[in-house]
Amino acid sequence: MGPRPNLLTRRTAGVATSTLALLLSTAAVGVVPAASAFSAAPAGVCAEPADAHGHADARVAKGGHPRLDPNELTAQQVREREADLAAAQRERANFRTGPTVTPLASVTIPVVVHVIQENSTRAGGNIPDSLINQQITVLNQSYAGSTGGAATAFAFQLTKINRVTNPSWYPIVQGSSAERSMKTSLRTGGKNTLNIYLGELSDGLLGWATFPKRTLDKMDGVVVLSESLPGGTATNYNQGDTGTHEVGHWLNLYHTFQGGCSGSGDSVSDTPAEASPAYECPTGRDTCSTAGKDPITNFMDYTYDSCMYQFTAGQASRMLTAWNAYRAA
C-alpha cells in the first residue's frame, strides 16, 4: 500500500471539527462472527509499547523494549473477549437497555483529557493546549476516513482539559498502583466518555488502553505519551496516531497482528493476516501465506505515524457493534 497520501496536508490543516457527522456504509465488510471468546488482558487493559509487545493493549515505538504490551492478548483472552461481546449483544437485545446506533448514525464521543505533570515545565509534562486540540482534529479526521480509510460512525468532542501536577504519578507506569490511584481519582463520565491521560510513560510505551467491558470501572480509558501528540517531540510518532491507535482498542479493535497467521486473527475479515508487528514503513511486507500483504498502513499496526492512515470497513463495523453492546448510553 505505501505511505499515507497527503499526510502533511492532513496534519497541518487543523480544520476538522469535533462534531463531524460521520457515515458508516450499510455494506459493512465481514466482521468475523464472535464464535470464540473475549477476555480482557491483565485488568482488561490494551497497551502499545514502543517497539515490542506484551499482554495488554499498547503501542510500541521502533527500538523500544517494554516489559509488557498490555494490549496484546493470548488466544484464550481473545476467545473470552469474543464470547463476552456476543453475550453483551444478547443482553442488550433481550433487555433493550439504551438506544441502538444504526449503521447510518453518527456518534459524538465526549473527551476529557487529563494532563499529568511533574512540574510546570514542558519537560515536566506541561504540554500546550494547542497539541491537545490538534490531537482531537487528528482523531476526527482518522475516524471520518478523510485520511484514506473507511469512514466510521465516530466523532470526538473535547469537553475538558484537566491539568494535574503530581510527581507521584509521573511518569505513568502501566499496571502500577499509582496508575490505579490516578485513574480512580480523575476518571469522569459514563461508559461513553473517553478519558485520555497524557504524560511521560514507562517501559518504552507510546500508549495503552482498556477494552470495553459491560461494567464500567475506573481504569477505563486511554493513556498516551504526551509528546506523541501532533507537533510533539517523539520522532516518527508525533503526528497523533498513537491516540488514534489507542482509541481503536478502547472501541474494541485488536492489533492487526493479533494471533499471527493462524486462527481468527484480529476478528476482522478484511484486514490481511500478519505474523508480527510491522515497524517503520516496510512497503510490500508479506509475512503470511494467506491472501493480502501485511496491513502496514492500518492504524492498528505499529508502523510510523507517516505510514498509517486507515481503518477498514470491517473494523468500522466491529467498533460500532462494540459501541452498541458496551458503551451506548
Side-chain angles (χ1 to χ4, degrees), residues 81-243:
R81 280 206 60 83
E82 294 305 305
D84 189 77
L85 175 58
Q89 289 177 281
R90 290 192 299 270
E91 181 179 280
R92 180 62 69 105
N94 290 340
F95 292 97
R96 292 184 172 85
T97 55
T100 295
V101 181
T102 63
L104 290 179
S106 63
V107 178
T108 299
I109 297 174
V111 182
V112 178
V113 174
H114 307 280
V115 181
I116 309 304
Q117 305 170 181
E118 183 177 38
N119 53 51
S120 61
T121 68
R122 174 73 178 262
N126 185 22
I127 60 171
D129 286 359
S130 59
L131 268 66
I132 297 169
N133 291 324
Q134 290 171 40
Q135 178 67 72
I136 300 300
T137 294
V138 166
L139 289 176
N140 277 307
Q141 292 173 329
S142 301
Y143 282 82
S146 62
T147 61
T152 80
F154 302 101
F156 302 85
Q157 183 170 29
L158 180 63
T159 61
K160 182 179 181 180
I161 298 175
N162 177 34
R163 294 182 177 273
V164 180
T165 301
N166 188 337
S168 68
W169 293 344
Y170 194 93
I172 304 171
V173 179
Q174 193 279 321
S176 66
S177 59
E179 181 196 10
R180 179 167 292 278
S181 173
M182 174 190 74
K183 290 183 174 180
T184 300
S185 300
L186 301 180
R187 196 196 182 283
T188 187
K191 290 190 288 186
N192 66 325
T193 301
L194 172 61
N195 281 248
I196 300 177
Y197 302 87
L198 303 176
E200 181 65 24
L201 307 187
S202 67
D203 302 314
L205 294 168
L206 292 168
W208 62 86
T210 55
F211 291 108
K213 296 166 59 177
R214 279 183 277 178
T215 302
L216 177 65
D217 67 44
K218 286 291 189 176
M219 296 303 288
D220 182 76
V222 165
V223 179
V224 173
L225 176 68
S226 56
E227 293 295 348
S228 74
L229 270 59
T233 61
T235 303
N236 297 316
Y237 303 98
N238 59 356
Q239 296 176 9
D241 286 330
T242 293

Side-chain angles (χ1 to χ4, degrees), residues 28 37 39-40 52 56-57 64 91 124 148 170 229 260-261 300 304 307 312 318:
S39 132
D57 254 354
E91 181 179 280
Y170 194 93
L229 270 59
C261 298
M300 302 312 294
Y304 287 163
C307 189
T312 67
R318 178 177 172 82

